[in-house]
Amino acid sequence: MLSQALRPAATTDAWARLDPAERDRLVTLGLDGLSVVEAGDEREEALIAAIALRETLETPGRVAALVTPDRALAMRVAAELARWDIRAEDAAGQPLSGSLGGRLARLAAEFAVETVGPRIGNRQAQRLLALLAHPLVRLGMARPELVRGAAALEIGVLRGPALAPGFETLRGALAAAKTDTGRRPRPKRRLKDIDWELAEKLVAALEDAFKGFPGGAGALDLVAAGEAHRAVCEALLKGPEGDEEAAADPSLACLDSLFDELAFVDAGPMGGEFSDYPAFFAALADLRCVPDAHGAPHPRVRILGLAEARLLSCDRIVLGGLDEGVWPARMVTDSFLNRPMRERIGLDPPERQIGQGAHDFVGLLGHRDAVITRAQKREGAPTVQSRFLQRMRAFADQTHWEAVLTRGRRLAGLAARLDAGTEPPPPRLTQPRPRPDPALFPRALSVTEVETLVRDPYAIFARHVLGLDPLEPVAAPPGVGDRGTLIHAVLGRFAEAFPQGMPADADTRLAAIAEEVFAPVKAANPELYAEWWPRLQRLSEKFLPWEAERRAAGLRVHAEANGRWSIPMGDEVFVLKARADRIETRRDGGACLIDFKTGTPPSNREVFAGFSPQLTLEAAMLMAGAFKDIPAPGTVPDLLYVHASGGRTPLRERLLKPEKDEERDIAALVEEHAARLRGLVARFMTGKAAYVSRPYPKYVRYAGDYDHLARVLEWSLAGEGEA
């Protein structure tokens, strides 16, 4: 049957001359024992192939094998078999670059380029964490000690602003973080002395391990660098006395042999830049295969390539990856050797690979029990079934081919049942509304956190009740939030230096303060400095006249003023804290609260609806005398938003005032917000309110730090609410 189905295309007209009864007999006998499975994607195909292999093992003595030219499919099937504790013997092994030893060497080379080589980026922190997470790394320490030191190094130094490359910078940042006594995030405060000591020991060991790696700019002999690379790997693998676990991995012997060959190369030097070495090493490691020696393989299951499968037979054969481009492989026309040139020098044409693939396909289908699998999509893109399958389907009639597909659907059904499991489906996620013990509600919040309590109470629950703090990203590049912090610092320092009156050289003084504040950015991120500094200059040009106009009224400026307001709540006291950007007091006893915004200020509608109560609550605090050394004004202060972006409109002010259809004035609004604060806090302190996640999704302006914990995407997509 296969001889007829796969005959040359020019001779397929012979099918019409076959006797119908003879053709039916050929198809019936040829398709007997064959199953064809069309899976939805690569994952489902791998699971079906694993089930077909596993089913064979139910019969004592029967042997099963997977044959595929797709290495990714082979690894997926091996992983699926592991769920039944079946380790299939893979004849191809795995490339050295993908083994434990090879990954260690690659990570070491990449980290060296980022640390001791010329600066080509700022990925040192990511490379370092990946290297320390490798299970074979010891650096002369016990593995638990190294893991603890790496965690302390990550939380204490690497999370936050990116550091300049180099061990000297890393040591300096670690020493500064250890002795920092200022306001530190809670995760850093939880680190003990032993954690800092282990982190210091770890950095010292890393610096000692990489001291022999050639660095710097200029030409480098890539082959000669292999000896220094070997020394680094040995230092990374060296554990305390008696720890032999790291040295037992079989891939390390293959890695040693690669370094040995590099040491005995007789050819001339291979020049390149130091940044080329990781790619050079990875290319060499890809050419070496490490035999799979982790545990004893199952004696009756094998994973074979096309060449190995020609010599072996089994009771059930699974042919995987029957899609065009996989089996047969995609033909690639060489740009340097076209077909006539290949023919003149005696090379085979590309079509010979297709013929060889067809030969292997026919030979493997000689087994009595065969399963063919293919995926309708690979990497999200639709596929075309192999031309071999197309030929078989064209030769067989629809009735016989449907029987083949029906046998394949049985295996697909088993895979679906295995994925579904036997447990009842979990209930649909709902919007979380935790109600913990009311005593856990914090007795002190800032005005910013009060706004969070209104918009997303679940974030207050996660931070203050559960005690969870979001970690900063690793080596985070400065963003718009950092730019806002810098601008606030410049304007705040200027106001603190001159609380009354403007100096004659105000522009010079402001420029000096700005240069001092922006100096770290200029040193660490010159590209961002080149973008942010012109914005600050445009802002300064508008800020100084604006400031002079306001100072002409003889007011006094209080910058970055801290306030605490103790509010009696029955038998307890709730403390509202604030740090006002700027408070101006006038001679007539009036005052003005100013909030500088580098982003978009809240709209009047948001403020009057109670979703942005920052300025109104600060006004209530000021009138209650909550700001030290600032007298309470006789009337409600003016509330002013100043958009200080430095963009096309560098500085724009907006006085908070009622809309035309708004009956409340600012005094009534401040009083209402203070009363609503008392009521809101009382409901949480008595347990009547739940910490709902995103109760008002329309007014959620950005993704929260705890949205993943609240499973916002899941319950919102299920129709429980909006997100």
Side-chain angles (χ1 to χ4, degrees):
M1 190 209 75
L2 290 173
S3 296
Q4 288 290 344
L6 301 184
R7 64 166 50 242
T11 65
T12 52
D13 59 338
W15 291 352
R17 295 192 296 272
L18 285 175
D19 179 65
E22 176 65 14
R23 181 171 179 173
D24 183 75
R25 187 184 70 85
L26 286 178
V27 172
T28 302
L29 293 177
L31 298 183
D32 184 35
L34 177 65
S35 304
V36 175
V37 187
E38 294 188 339
D41 54 19
E42 315 100 298
R43 188 205 63 82
E44 185 182 0
E45 181 186 10
L47 179 58
I48 292 172
I51 289 175
L53 298 173
R54 175 69 179 83
E55 187 180 46
T56 307
L57 302 183
E58 291 296 306
T59 304
R62 285 176 62 86
V63 178
L66 167 71
V67 180
T68 178
D70 187 354
R71 291 300 308 151
L73 176 62
M75 289 188 287
R76 285 177 180 269
V77 173
E80 293 289 353
L81 287 172
R83 69 166 70 195
W84 298 294
D85 294 328
I86 297 174
R87 199 182 70 78
E89 181 181 1
D90 192 344
Q94 66 175 147
L96 174 61
S97 58
S99 65
L100 276 177
R103 292 201 302 271
L104 172 70
R106 285 195 297 111
L107 290 171
E110 291 167 357
F111 174 67
V113 167
E114 296 291 338
T115 305
V116 302
R119 180 176 179 181
I120 58 173
N122 200 354
R123 298 184 297 272
Q124 174 184 250
Q126 292 87 340
R127 302 296 192 198
L128 175 57
L129 291 178
L131 178 62
L132 296 179
H134 194 284
L136 299 185
V137 173
R138 294 296 187 273
L139 285 167
M141 305 167 63
R143 184 62 188 172
E145 290 183 345
L146 185 140
V147 170
R148 186 170 181 177
L153 185 64
E154 175 185 351
I155 294 173
V157 177
L158 300 181
R159 286 193 175 272
L163 302 175
F167 284 111
E168 183 178 355
T169 305
L170 189 60
R171 279 189 282 106
L174 181 59
K178 180 181 178 181
T179 57
D180 183 16
T181 57
R183 296 183 60 186
R184 297 187 297 173
R186 192 156 44 183
K188 288 187 180 181
R189 296 200 304 266
R190 289 171 177 160
L191 296 176
K192 299 179 173 56
D193 291 340
I194 182 63
D195 297 310
W196 294 109
E197 292 172 6
L198 289 174
E200 291 174 340
K201 181 179 178 181
L202 182 59
V203 171
L206 277 168
E207 188 172 11
D208 184 64
F210 281 87
K211 64 183 179 182
F213 224 133
L220 172 74
D221 184 359
L222 298 178
V223 175
E227 192 61 30
H229 192 191
R230 182 209 287 266
V232 170
C233 292
E234 291 175 350
L236 292 171
L237 291 168
K238 183 181 179 182
E241 188 175 352
D243 184 3
E244 303 295 336
E245 181 183 355
D249 192 271
S251 61
L252 297 180
C254 186
L255 180 63
D256 276 340
S257 65
L258 174 58
F259 285 135
D260 288 340
E261 290 188 10
L262 286 176
F264 290 105
V265 168
D266 293 330
M270 179 175 290
E273 299 290 334
F274 184 56
S275 57
D276 298 330
Y277 181 77
F280 167 75
F281 174 80
L284 295 178
D286 278 337
L287 301 177
R288 288 179 170 268
C289 284
V290 179
D292 191 359
H294 290 281
H298 196 285
R300 295 192 285 134
V301 180
R302 300 186 183 93
I303 297 177
L304 306 172
L306 299 183
E308 300 87 1
R310 298 169 192 163
L311 307 175
L312 301 174
S313 61
C314 57
D315 297 292
R316 168 175 280 184
I317 193 81
V318 179
L319 308 183
L322 263 294
D323 295 309
E324 281 295 305
V326 179
W327 195 345
R330 182 178 290 105
M331 287 191 305
V332 179
T333 302
D334 200 318
S335 302
F336 300 97
L337 288 176
N338 55 31
R339 294 175 185 273
M341 294 172 66
R342 293 175 67 92
E343 183 179 358
R344 279 197 293 269
I345 62 177
L347 294 179
D348 293 329
E351 289 80 5
R352 181 176 176 83
Q353 297 180 9
I354 298 178
Q356 186 62 60
H359 182 276
D360 293 330
F361 179 73
V362 172
L364 294 170
L365 281 185
H367 291 82
R368 295 183 180 276
D369 185 359
V371 178
I372 295 176
T373 67
R374 63 172 297 263
Q376 294 176 334
K377 283 188 176 182
R378 292 186 182 276
E379 298 180 357
T383 61
V384 177
Q385 67 178 208
S386 170
R387 64 190 68 184
F388 306 149
L389 275 183
Q390 294 182 37
R391 283 296 195 89
M392 292 176 64
R393 182 176 183 175
F395 183 72
D397 57 63
Q398 187 61 32
T399 302
H400 288 89
W401 192 251
E402 185 62 30
V404 171
L405 294 177
T406 300
R407 290 193 288 268
R409 292 191 191 102
R410 182 186 68 85
L411 294 172
L414 292 176
R417 290 174 60 187
L418 186 62
D419 270 350
T422 57
E423 298 294 329
R428 191 183 70 178
L429 287 175
T430 58
Q431 192 174 17
R433 303 170 181 268
R435 289 178 180 267
D437 187 346
L440 298 175
F441 180 76
R443 268 44 182 179
L445 290 174
S446 67
V447 290
T448 306
E449 289 176 318
V450 169
E451 181 173 335
T452 304
L453 184 63
V454 173
R455 293 176 181 266
D456 190 8
Y458 189 89
I460 299 298
F461 166 76
R463 184 176 183 85
H464 291 280
V465 178
L466 299 182
L468 301 176
D469 291 288
L471 292 174
E472 298 179 90
V474 174
V480 291
D482 299 283
R483 178 170 60 86
T485 301
L486 294 174
I487 291 177
H488 275 78
V490 172
L491 302 183
R493 290 189 188 182
F494 181 81
E496 288 175 347
F498 310 104
Q500 284 185 304
M502 291 277 288
D505 56 345
D507 52 348
T508 305
R509 298 291 187 92
L510 183 62
I513 293 173
E515 288 177 359
E516 181 183 355
V517 172
F518 273 74
V521 180
K522 185 177 182 180
N525 299 90
E527 63 282 354
L528 277 180
Y529 176 81
E531 177 186 349
W532 289 356
W533 185 253
R535 295 176 70 101
L536 180 63
Q537 288 179 318
R538 290 195 296 268
L539 175 61
S540 301
E541 292 173 0
K542 297 294 183 180
F543 172 75
L544 288 174
W546 176 85
E547 182 80 347
E549 181 181 352
R550 298 192 67 82
R551 298 293 184 96
L555 52 82
R556 181 179 178 85
V557 175
H558 307 269
E560 304 295 334
N562 292 312
R564 291 176 63 88
W565 186 21
S566 298
I567 305 174
M569 303 292 297
D571 297 335
E572 299 186 75
V573 174
F574 175 78
V575 177
L576 181 64
K577 300 179 292 183
R579 185 179 179 88
D581 287 350
R582 177 165 169 160
I583 301 176
E584 296 177 349
T585 54
R586 299 190 295 268
R587 293 174 181 174
D588 60 1
C592 180
L593 273 164
I594 298 179
D595 187 10
F596 290 102
K597 295 289 188 184
T598 53
T600 304
S603 64
N604 276 15
R605 178 172 296 182
E606 286 181 292
V607 177
F608 276 83
F611 291 103
S612 295
Q614 180 177 347
L615 271 187
T616 53
L617 291 179
E618 288 179 358
M621 294 175 64
L622 181 61
M623 296 178 67
F627 289 93
K628 187 178 180 181
D629 299 330
I630 303 178
T635 58
V636 175
D638 295 332
L639 305 181
L640 183 66
Y641 288 105
V642 177
H643 187 206
S645 65
R648 292 184 178 179
T649 306
L651 188 140
R652 182 174 64 250
E653 65 177 30
R654 178 170 62 83
L655 184 67
L656 184 65
K657 55 185 179 180
E659 301 287 348
K660 293 181 179 180
D661 57 346
E662 179 60 54
E663 298 179 356
R664 296 169 294 177
D665 59 8
I666 299 301
L669 182 66
V670 170
E671 184 178 352
E672 178 186 328
H673 281 188
R676 291 175 65 175
L677 171 65
R678 292 186 179 93
L680 180 65
V681 171
R683 287 196 298 274
F684 279 100
M685 292 179 70
T686 57
K688 295 180 180 179
Y691 296 86
V692 185
S693 174
R694 292 176 176 251
Y696 308 103
K698 178 181 178 181
Y699 293 97
V700 176
R701 301 164 65 180
Y702 45 81
D705 292 324
Y706 302 98
D707 285 353
H708 62 295
L709 183 65
R711 309 284 289 273
V712 169
L713 290 179
E714 288 91 331
W715 59 257
S716 60
L717 291 176
E720 176 65 20
E722 299 180 45

